[in-house]
Amino acid sequence: MDNAYIQAVEQARANFADLGERGDEALGGTWSELEKELFTPEEIAASHLRVALIGELVKARQERGISQKKLEELSGVRQPVIARMERGSTSPQLETVLKVLAPLGKTLAVVPINPE
């Protein structure tokens, strides 16, 4: 994903941060409907995949009681980079993701998109 796309997603999320308080009427519909108007299906799928991946990374780190600083020591990836990954403010290289996942006992797998 390019920087412009990431910034657009972040801006859209920031613009609708108070959506929970104001309800769907604030948008004239649901976030899902608006998302489909703003982004291509490929962009939406990529965003959802990125959120799921980072969510699993954070969950694994927290379940093991490992701080970001400790994960830096174990993975060799600097803590500020880990923080930006977890915040979603960066699109890390595959090698970086793998380095962070390994000490958490995790890796990536290639699986069918639509399992039968």
Side-chain angles (χ1 to χ4, degrees), residues 16-115:
F16 300 116
D18 65 341
L19 179 60
E21 293 175 20
R22 298 187 300 144
D24 290 344
E25 301 77 39
L27 297 175
T30 65
W31 166 250
S32 180
E33 292 167 344
L34 181 61
E35 182 180 48
K36 289 176 186 173
E37 289 180 28
L38 295 173
F39 304 107
T40 67
E42 293 80 15
E43 290 171 328
I44 293 169
S47 177
H48 291 182
L49 179 60
R50 192 170 36 257
V51 168
L53 172 64
I54 296 304
E56 287 298 316
L57 185 151
V58 172
K59 179 179 163 188
R61 182 179 64 76
Q62 290 174 341
E63 285 175 347
R64 285 168 179 71
I66 298 173
S67 68
Q68 289 179 350
K69 190 65 178 167
K70 181 64 176 175
L71 188 53
E72 173 185 42
E73 295 170 17
L74 296 171
S75 68
V77 176
R78 299 202 50 208
Q79 182 274 330
V81 174
I82 294 168
R84 286 192 301 271
M85 284 174 56
E86 290 188 4
R87 230 182 7 255
S89 61
T90 187
S91 187
Q93 301 241 345
L94 179 59
E95 181 179 337
T96 303
V97 173
L98 293 172
K99 283 181 180 180
V100 171
L101 287 174
L104 299 173
K106 303 284 185 177
T107 191
L108 297 178
V110 177
V111 297
I113 292 174
N114 296 317

